Amino acid sequence: MQAHWEHFSHEADMGVRGVGDSLAQAFEQAALAMTAIIADPARVQPAKPVSIRCECPDRELLLADWLNALVYEMACHNMLFSRFEVTIDNDSLSATAWGEAVDRVRHRPTVEVKGATYTALRVNQRDDGSWLAQCVVDV
Amino acid sequence: MARNYPLQRQSEFSWRIDPFGKMRVPGIVYADEQLIGAMDDKVFEQLCNVATLPGIVQAAYAMPDAHWGYGFPIGGVAAFDADEGGVVSAGGVGFDISCGVRALRTGLTADDIESRKTELANALYQQVPVGVGSTGRIHLNDKGMNAMLLGGARWAVEQGYGEPADLDHIEERGCMRGADPEEISAQARRRQQDEMGTLGSGNHYLEVQRVAEIYDPKIATAFGLKENDAVVFIHCGSRGLGHQIGTEFLKYMVLAASSHHIELPDRELACAPIHSELGQAYLGAMRAAINCALANRQIITHLTRQVFADVLPAADLTLLFDVSHNTCKLETHTVAGRKRKLYVHRKGATRAFGPGHPDIPESLRSVGQPVLIGGSMGTESHILAGASSGEALSFNSACHGAGRAMSRHRATKLWRGRSVVDELGARGIVIRSPSMRGIAEEAPGAYKDVRAVVDAAESAGLARKVARVEPLVCIKG
């Protein structure tokens, strides 16, 4: 199973979907999908690491927490991220996100993400053993 | 479109879903046949979900521009009675708390602007921070932030952004009471500290427009509008602070729902009893975010005035009105002959008080509250006035915009930003935006026909059409 991400349609906004061999990998791919709403991840240098921790008893809410933690880091540090390493241990997630400061000319950012929503929020293991992590984000 | 919901036609412009399952009240949609035919079934599903919430009064409503939202449909209205177990919902207000529209008269005609249009567009684009990662020139420390969160546009005027006279033409006279800065987290403060006076991105914009058509000369005169007048529309909200408050309280309310004995049909409908610690904390935080949005639009107004003073010194920018369309407000409404205090949620819906309402500025009270409807970039926007009939129909609420007709994803497959700019340019509309893909996502064709939406709102009795305005310059986030 090749880990990958994709967008899915929502009438007003966008859905992000990550698929991977593990829960953590699906979370990493969902984060990439979110970056891709704002800019092409290939244009973002994974230069500077930022550490992120979240905790939540519900796996789906943990996905929203993870994406919202990234929204917060992007907003406060004016950054975009293109590489993610996630570890999930029961209720807690610890991660490193690598990225760089927004460069309007090089990144051509399209839109800000306001937050990850609980709409179409799903985290589950599929029949083929792969993991899926998705939700709609408000832009 | 296949219909899985039992919609009954009540009149030419209203449709009803009788309560079934756990619905406590009916769902009512205001639309013409074509608009309702084009609505996604998700709108009706979400409307029926809203109708299950505790303490909901009369009905869950959807406006003619309703589309699939989060929890509530966008274009959704619902009122709750605190003393009957009523709730306040973070999902029912949304992430962009107090997003709204402000309209300014300019004292100029479109002809006065025509020869300076490009210069005006360039100066506005340079002076008003717009797009991803843009920051304002105001950087607030904690003390300044608290004053802003308590004072709203009044704080901004005290800081020298605008005139005291502006405040009379803003909802709540520019300052939402009951704000509690203590409930605003460090993260929300951090997200906002450099974002005061910024437009944001997505569907937010600043437009210079011309009054293309007057529908109601009497009300237009009271609004100070004539055909061919130049006006300014500003559409934006509470920026990072509002987004962060929405995010945080959504989670708190989901996690606390079972302890409040609330069964959520959709987690995005996260809510808490108004008479609960969490409900009160959210109301205090949300009202502070409303003040943030009012201050933000006030600062952008000041920047806009500076640009006009430079480029077109004869201009005199006066405030027509400022109205928010993502809020929950405590209002008095008559239900079945009895006056009741209700918490009215409007998610992508505009308050539309009819003539004589005490909360309308005195100079406009006899004709009704201005209702500002932003259309899509490059088409048209509308100015309406609240109607007395709106009280019984929708707790005095009307539509808020055109409403999307397709996803952003699909829009980028159909249009290229550059060709949208060129096409609009050929029609005399000057667009400035940091993002070409953003323009493609917001292409006029991605939206419903705003005229059909306002026609339906008027025909249904929600508001009266006053004037249609067309863009000359659009600064797009």
Side-chain angles (χ1 to χ4, degrees):
Chain A
M1 168 88 234
Q2 179 80 41
H4 66 276
W5 60 265
E6 61 198 24
H7 292 147
F8 62 93
S9 275
H10 176 275
E11 203 172 8
D13 293 285
M14 286 256 211
V16 296
R17 178 178 293 143
V19 177
D21 286 332
S22 65
L23 180 61
Q25 210 176 36
F27 273 44
E28 291 166 3
Q29 291 294 324
L32 260 180
M34 187 165 74
T35 295
I37 287 179
I38 309 164
D40 179 358
R43 291 171 186 265
V44 180
Q45 295 293 325
K48 192 184 159 207
V50 173
S51 295
I52 289 169
R53 277 176 191 282
C54 347
E55 214 156 301
C56 190
D58 180 306
R59 199 177 268 166
E60 292 185 334
L61 298 189
L62 186 64
L63 172 69
D65 274 5
W66 156 238
L67 296 176
N68 280 322
L70 288 167
V71 168
Y72 175 76
E73 294 296 335
M74 288 191 286
C76 290
H77 305 294
N78 198 18
M79 282 181 77
L80 289 169
F81 299 104
S82 57
R83 194 182 142 212
F84 306 91
E85 244 176 56
V86 173
T87 309
I88 297 172
D89 184 12
N90 292 319
D91 299 349
S92 60
L93 174 151
S94 56
T96 307
W98 284 267
E100 63 173 331
V102 175
D103 179 330
R104 281 215 198 190
V105 176
R106 195 156 44 83
H107 297 137
R108 289 185 271 159
T110 303
V111 72
E112 282 172 331
V113 173
K114 294 173 186 166
T117 77
Y118 298 164
T119 297
L121 173 60
R122 241 169 61 206
V123 174
N124 62 272
Q125 191 165 18
R126 304 196 294 189
D127 291 343
D128 64 0
S130 66
W131 284 84
L132 173 142
Q134 69 165 49
C135 72
V136 168
V137 298
D138 190 0
V139 296
Chain B
M1 186 158 289
R3 283 280 170 259
N4 294 314
Y5 289 84
L7 279 169
Q8 295 171 38
R9 194 168 200 160
Q10 292 194 121
S11 69
E12 205 181 339
F13 295 95
S14 84
W15 310 72
R16 179 186 167 99
I17 303 172
D18 277 328
F20 65 92
K22 292 180 177 170
M23 287 170 72
R24 297 166 195 258
V25 292
I28 291 176
V29 186
Y30 296 105
D32 64 18
E33 200 155 0
Q34 209 165 1
L35 287 167
I36 204 139
M39 276 180 200
D40 194 298
D41 254 0
K42 285 271 182 197
V43 173
F44 311 122
E45 180 189 324
Q46 292 186 326
L47 196 64
C48 292
N49 285 343
V50 172
T52 70
L53 294 177
I56 186 167
V57 175
Q58 203 160 271
Y61 297 99
M63 301 294 109
D65 53 338
H67 53 283
W68 179 23
Y70 320 108
F72 273 58
I74 296 167
V77 176
F80 297 85
D81 187 329
D83 295 334
E84 291 183 0
V87 293
V88 59
S89 169
V93 173
F95 285 91
D96 200 357
I97 298 168
S98 202
C99 182
V101 182
R102 170 177 287 216
L104 303 157
R105 292 168 294 244
T106 63
L108 302 174
T109 66
D111 301 328
D112 296 329
I113 285 181
E114 188 55 37
S115 64
R116 312 296 298 275
K117 218 162 50 181
T118 305
E119 200 182 339
L120 185 64
N122 290 342
L124 286 167
Y125 185 54
Q126 202 168 35
Q127 292 303 314
V128 180
V130 60
V132 179
S134 58
T135 54
R137 265 165 260 163
I138 302 158
H139 306 283
L140 291 178
N141 61 20
D142 238 23
K143 197 171 154 223
M145 181 77 70
N146 286 344
M148 180 277 286
L149 293 170
L150 282 171
R154 192 167 294 171
W155 167 86
V157 169
E158 283 162 11
Q159 303 296 308
Y161 304 107
E163 307 295 328
D166 295 341
L167 299 173
D168 283 341
H169 295 262
I170 303 172
E171 280 188 296
E172 326 303 336
R173 301 290 190 273
C175 174
M176 186 74 219
R177 277 173 302 169
D180 187 356
E182 295 277 314
E183 297 296 343
I184 303 293
S185 67
Q187 286 85 349
R189 289 163 185 271
R190 177 71 185 79
R191 268 180 86 169
Q192 192 60 29
Q193 69 183 22
D194 303 322
E195 288 198 351
M196 292 310 298
T198 62
L199 262 184
S201 64
N203 61 359
H204 295 156
Y205 61 80
L206 187 159
E207 278 187 354
V208 182
Q209 305 157 331
R210 68 178 274 271
V211 176
E213 193 175 358
I214 299 274
Y215 299 114
D216 188 318
K218 182 178 153 247
I219 303 180
T221 303
F223 285 0
L225 299 172
K226 293 190 304 295
E227 204 170 311
N228 210 37
D229 275 358
V231 295
V232 173
F233 263 44
I234 298 166
H235 176 219
C236 62
S238 51
R239 308 292 299 112
L241 183 133
H243 309 163
Q244 188 69 25
I245 294 303
T247 300
E248 290 170 7
F249 277 90
L250 198 64
K251 183 179 175 190
Y252 301 151
M253 286 178 173
V254 165
L255 293 176
S258 62
S259 71
H260 291 134
H261 310 291
I262 294 173
E263 203 182 311
L264 294 175
D266 171 349
R267 281 178 293 198
E268 196 70 30
L269 279 177
C271 58
I274 294 157
H275 289 319
S276 71
E277 214 174 298
L278 183 54
Q280 289 299 311
Y282 176 69
L283 283 169
M286 181 210 46
R287 288 164 177 162
I290 289 177
N291 281 331
C292 181
L294 298 181
N296 198 41
R297 291 197 285 272
Q298 186 65 31
I299 295 167
I300 292 172
T301 299
H302 175 73
L303 299 174
T304 306
R305 282 177 171 147
Q306 284 183 326
V307 168
F308 271 82
D310 283 348
V311 180
L312 293 153
D316 178 22
L317 272 63
T318 54
L319 197 42
L320 168 58
F321 205 62
D322 179 306
V323 62
S324 301
H325 46 232
N326 287 350
T327 58
C328 171
K329 290 190 172 170
L330 180 59
E331 297 170 5
T332 303
H333 289 281
T334 303
V335 180
R338 184 161 67 94
K339 274 195 184 337
R340 292 170 71 176
K341 290 205 158 204
L342 302 174
Y343 288 79
V344 183
H345 292 65
R346 295 188 182 88
K347 169 85 170 281
T350 311
R351 184 149 88 177
F353 284 142
H357 196 283
D359 286 350
I360 303 175
E362 225 176 285
S363 61
L364 304 174
R365 198 168 295 158
S366 64
V367 292
Q369 177 215 303
V371 177
L372 309 171
I373 309 300
S376 64
M377 167 182 61
T379 54
E380 60 191 33
S381 296
H382 287 260
I383 298 169
L384 286 73
S388 303
S389 47
E391 161 84 336
L393 292 169
S394 61
F395 299 113
N396 288 120
S397 310
C399 50
H400 87 305
R404 287 195 79 91
M406 69 175 70
S407 69
R408 292 171 182 280
H409 197 66
R410 181 140 179 253
T412 55
K413 301 261 179 267
L414 291 178
W415 294 286
R416 290 262 158 265
R418 175 46 61 191
S419 52
V420 173
V421 171
D422 291 346
E423 218 168 281
L424 295 175
R427 287 172 35 208
I429 305 166
V430 185
I431 309 274
R432 291 288 178 274
S433 172
S435 170
M436 283 298 140
R437 193 175 106 194
I439 285 180
E441 289 182 3
E442 292 288 327
Y447 281 83
K448 290 177 194 164
D449 175 6
V450 69
R451 209 178 295 187
V453 167
V454 295
D455 282 348
E458 177 172 74
S459 300
L462 307 178
R464 294 179 62 170
K465 281 163 57 182
V466 178
R468 178 170 68 81
V469 296
E470 290 176 351
L472 302 168
V473 169
C474 176
I475 310 300
K476 188 79 189 163

